[in-house]
Structure formats: structure tokens, C-alpha cells
């Protein structure tokens, strides 16, 4: 192989981008500053630049909330059609002032924001010799003044008819508890609608999620945890969605899931291949615990071989799965 160096000239300048704050709350505006200096110590007075600001969903870990879920990804990932418009916010051109600085305001209204977002600002500065140098910076935009947190129900499997009592907390992005904040809890029974379309020898499948609200309750946050009762009447897969609004009406949400066991039809996610999925009631067990495993069978009635394995097969048996 070979390569050619047509021309090389050492970079004689540097650029930097910074925001006036490391994080913001939805609404208002962020200010980004672009700075350009020659390496020999002079500002890049009058140098031209291009800039662009973008938005994208991200994750924020709220301190002091171990064991609590503070985002609604479990709910939102099933509804990508409702995702906010990610991508470009603004773009433009400008020039550095006599001190080698340029500032730009970026609106943080962010229509459709449903989770923490990352706003990025990129700038490329060009000097009189047409050399370019680029820099970028990012800032977090929180959806509201606080986050709502929900703990996974224990037990994970509830027998119908039954009651789910999820623990709820409210905290600022820095992890300070908020007391007296109203939180609404919704119990959504999730089903999957599968449509298969055949055209000649080709068959296409389209899966859609249907979330039906079957119960709701409200509570107020405390310095510890708060809860309220969600009545479960039918078997199936459920999503618990917690919603709270701050003083300006900005919404923050969190979601966890649970399974209800009992008689009647349950609806699992389906596709073109028949498969059996196993769901354990815990992620980790201690010696002496009893593990409960939900068998998602694609058949109304079938015979199954059940084995327990660990450094070899511990036990095996044949059972009939119904429902």
C-alpha cells in the first residue's frame, strides 16, 4: 500500500466550546460560548465559524435512589411512534469578536421531551489561511424540577385477584428528597397485536403494543417512601407508570413491570417463530430461597420437559402446560 501527503501545515490555533451551566431544566434557554485563540497567544479576531445544536435522549442516574427506577424507558420503548423529534435544533454562521469569543442562545423548549436529554453544541472555526479547528460541548436537560422513582414490586409475580403496592419516591436531580409532591400511578395491561400480511410467496408481520389502563391511584411523596393500591383482576403482563408534574406543569415519569398469574388468557409478544421464554421472579437468589419461574408458552396446551441444571442435571420431569 502507499499514501501521499499533498500538504501538511501544523495547526496554529485552538477552539473551545462551553455552556454557561452544566445542566438545565426544560424551558428557557442555554448559552454556549465559542472561543478561538492562536497558539502564539492572540485571539482569533474576526475568524468565521459555523455551528449546530442537536438534541438526543439520554439517561440520568439520580443519587441516593438505589433500587428505584427513575425513567419510563420500559413504557416508552414500546411506543417509538411517540418519541420526541431528535436531531438538529439550530444551525448557523457567525464570527468571533475582538476577544475571540462568540455566544449563541439555544431554546430548551424541546417539544415532546419525555426523559433527560443531551443538548450538544458543535462549532468549527476558520482562520484567514482557511485552516479549520473544531470543538464541541454538551449539557443535560432535565424534564422537570425533580424525578419520580418507582421500586420493582416484591413479589414480582402477583396472584389474581391481587393488589400491587409499588414504593414511590420523589427527588431532585441531585438526589434530595421532595416531600408532599402528588404522584399518579397507572396500571397498564400490555397486549401485543400481531398482523401478518401475505403477498404472493412473501409474508410480513407487524407487531403493535396495546396498553390498556385498568387501574389507577394517587399518593403524595414523603421523606421515606409512599405507596397506594393498584388492584389486579386479570392475568397477564402489566406496566406500572408513575407520573408527577412540577410547579410549571412539566412532566416526569418512571415505569416498572410485573406479572399477574391466574386463570384466563394472557398475551405475550409473538413473532414468526414459536419459542418458550422463561421469566424468573428475582434477578438474584440466596441459598435456601425458592425461585418461581414463569413459562411463556406459545401453545394453549403442550407437554414440556423441565430440567434443573447446575454443574450437571440436578433433576428432570415432564409436565403438561395449559393456558
Amino acid at each position: 500500500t502507499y499514501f501521499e501527503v499533498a500538504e501538511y501545515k501544523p495547526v496554529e490555533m485552538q477552539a473551545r466550546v462551553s455552556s454557561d451551566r452544566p445542566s438545565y431544566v426544560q424551558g428557557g434557554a442555554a448559552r454556549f460560548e465559542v472561543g478561538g485563540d492562536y497558539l502564539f497567544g492572540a485571539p482569533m479576531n474576526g475568524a468565521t465559524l459555523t455551528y449546530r445544536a442537536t438534541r438526543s435522549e439520554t439517561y440520568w442516574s439520580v443519587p441516593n435512589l438505589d433500587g428505584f427506577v427513575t425513567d419510563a424507558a420500559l413504557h416508552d420503548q414500546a411506543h417509538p411512534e411517540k418519541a420526541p423529534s431528535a436531531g438538529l435544533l439550530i444551525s448557523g454562521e457567525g464570527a468571533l469578536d475582538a476577544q475571540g469569543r462568540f455566544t449563541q442562545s439555544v431554546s430548551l423548549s424541546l417539544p415532546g421531551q419525555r426523559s433527560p436529554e443531551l443538548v450538544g453544541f458543535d462549532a468549527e472555526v476558520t482562520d484567514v489561511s482557511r485552516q479549520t479547528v473544531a470543538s464541541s460541548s454538551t449539557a443535560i436537560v432535565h424534564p422537570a424540577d425533580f424525578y419520580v422513582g418507582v421500586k420493582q414490586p416484591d413479589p414480582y409475580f402477583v396472584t389474581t385477584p391481587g393488589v400491587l403496592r409499588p414504593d414511590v419516591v420523589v427527588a431532585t436531580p441531585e438526589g434530595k428528597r421532595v416531600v408532599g409532591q402528588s404522584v399518579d400511578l397507572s396500571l397498564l395491561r400490555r397486549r401485543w397485536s400481531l398482523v401478518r400480511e401475505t403477498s404472493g410467496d412473501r409474508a410480513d408481520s407487524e407487531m403493535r403494543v396495546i396498553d390498556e389502563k385498568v387501574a389507577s391511584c394517587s399518593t403524595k411523596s414523603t421523606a421515606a417512601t409512599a405507596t397506594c393500591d393498584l388492584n389486579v383482576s386479570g392475568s397477564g403482563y402489566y406496566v406500572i407508570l408513575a407520573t408527577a408534574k412540577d410547579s410549571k406543569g412539566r412532566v416526569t415519569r418512571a415505569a416498572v413491570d410485573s406479572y399477574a398469574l391466574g386463570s384466563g388468557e394472557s398475551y405475550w409478544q409473538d413473532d414468526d417463530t414459536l419459542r418458550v421464554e422463561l421469566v424468573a421472579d428475582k434477578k438474584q437468589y440466596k441459598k435456601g430461597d425458592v425461585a418461581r419461574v414463569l413459562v411463556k408458552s406459545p401453545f394453549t396446551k403442550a407437554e414440556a420437559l423441565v430440567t434443573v441444571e447446575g454443574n450437571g442435571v440436578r433433576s428432570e420431569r415432564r409436565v403438561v402446560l395449559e393456558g
Side-chain angles (χ1 to χ4, degrees):
T1 186
Y2 69 94
F3 64 92
E4 178 183 0
V5 179
E7 181 183 7
Y8 174 76
K9 184 178 181 181
V11 176
E12 300 175 347
M13 55 192 182
Q14 63 179 358
R16 59 188 177 279
V17 177
S18 61
S19 58
D20 59 340
R21 293 170 54 189
S23 64
Y24 305 86
V25 181
Q26 182 190 18
R31 290 185 63 83
F32 288 90
E33 180 181 273
V34 181
D37 298 283
Y38 290 107
L39 296 182
F40 51 79
M44 297 178 65
N45 181 12
T48 60
L49 63 92
T50 59
Y51 63 86
R52 60 196 297 267
T54 58
R55 62 180 290 196
S56 61
E57 289 189 304
T58 188
Y59 174 77
W60 179 260
S61 178
V62 182
N64 307 320
L65 290 190
D66 293 341
F68 286 87
V69 176
T70 57
D71 63 76
L74 182 71
H75 173 270
D76 295 343
Q77 287 173 358
H79 302 280
E81 73 282 357
K82 299 180 181 179
S85 177
L88 184 66
L89 290 175
I90 60 170
S91 63
E93 299 178 351
L96 301 182
D97 61 17
Q99 287 74 42
R101 303 291 181 266
F102 172 85
T103 58
Q104 177 63 43
S105 177
V106 179
S107 173
L108 300 179
S109 59
L110 305 182
Q113 181 179 1
R114 60 186 188 180
S115 65
E117 292 201 16
L118 197 65
V119 172
F121 193 90
D122 304 296
E124 185 176 86
V125 182
T126 304
D127 73 350
V128 293
S129 63
R130 292 186 294 183
Q131 274 194 315
T132 61
V133 63
S135 183
S136 63
S137 180
T138 59
I140 291 285
V141 181
H142 301 292
D145 286 334
F146 47 74
Y147 284 88
V148 59
V150 184
K151 183 172 287 188
Q152 195 80 49
D154 186 19
Y156 188 41
F157 300 153
V158 59
T159 302
T160 59
V163 178
L164 286 170
R165 298 183 178 90
D167 289 334
V168 178
V169 296
V170 177
T172 65
E174 296 75 29
K176 182 180 179 181
R177 295 292 179 93
V178 177
V179 177
Q181 175 62 46
S182 296
V183 180
D184 297 323
L185 294 174
S186 299
L187 184 65
L188 309 177
R189 188 185 188 195
R190 176 163 293 179
R191 298 185 291 115
W192 287 265
S193 173
L194 178 65
V195 178
R196 289 190 174 94
E197 182 178 347
T198 303
S199 177
D201 296 333
R202 179 179 177 181
D204 297 321
S205 299
E206 181 180 357
M207 183 76 66
R208 293 183 180 178
V209 173
I210 301 174
D211 284 338
E212 177 189 5
K213 185 176 180 180
V214 295
S216 63
C217 64
S218 298
T219 185
K220 286 187 179 294
S221 62
T222 66
T225 60
T227 189
C228 58
D229 293 352
L230 292 170
N231 296 315
V232 186
S233 58
S235 62
Y237 178 65
Y238 289 87
V239 174
I240 302 170
L241 182 65
T243 305
K245 293 183 179 180
D246 66 11
S247 59
K248 295 184 178 180
R250 296 172 294 204
V251 177
T252 179
R253 302 169 306 137
V256 294
D257 61 350
S258 180
Y259 286 91
L261 311 182
S263 60
E265 287 290 333
S266 297
Y267 301 90
W268 312 130
Q269 186 172 3
D270 193 11
D271 54 27
D272 293 326
T273 60
L274 295 178
R275 59 193 177 94
V276 176
E277 182 183 353
L278 305 181
V279 180
D281 63 340
K282 293 182 180 180
K283 295 182 179 180
Q284 186 175 9
Y285 298 92
K286 297 179 181 179
K287 182 179 179 180
D289 288 349
V290 175
R292 303 184 70 197
V293 181
L294 173 65
V295 182
K296 293 185 177 181
S297 174
F299 310 104
T300 55
K301 186 175 182 180
E303 188 176 15
L305 172 64
V306 180
T307 63
V308 179
E309 304 175 14
N311 193 23
V313 177
R314 300 288 183 88
S315 66
E316 61 178 64
R317 60 193 173 108
R318 296 167 69 173
V319 299
V320 176
L321 304 179
E322 293 186 357

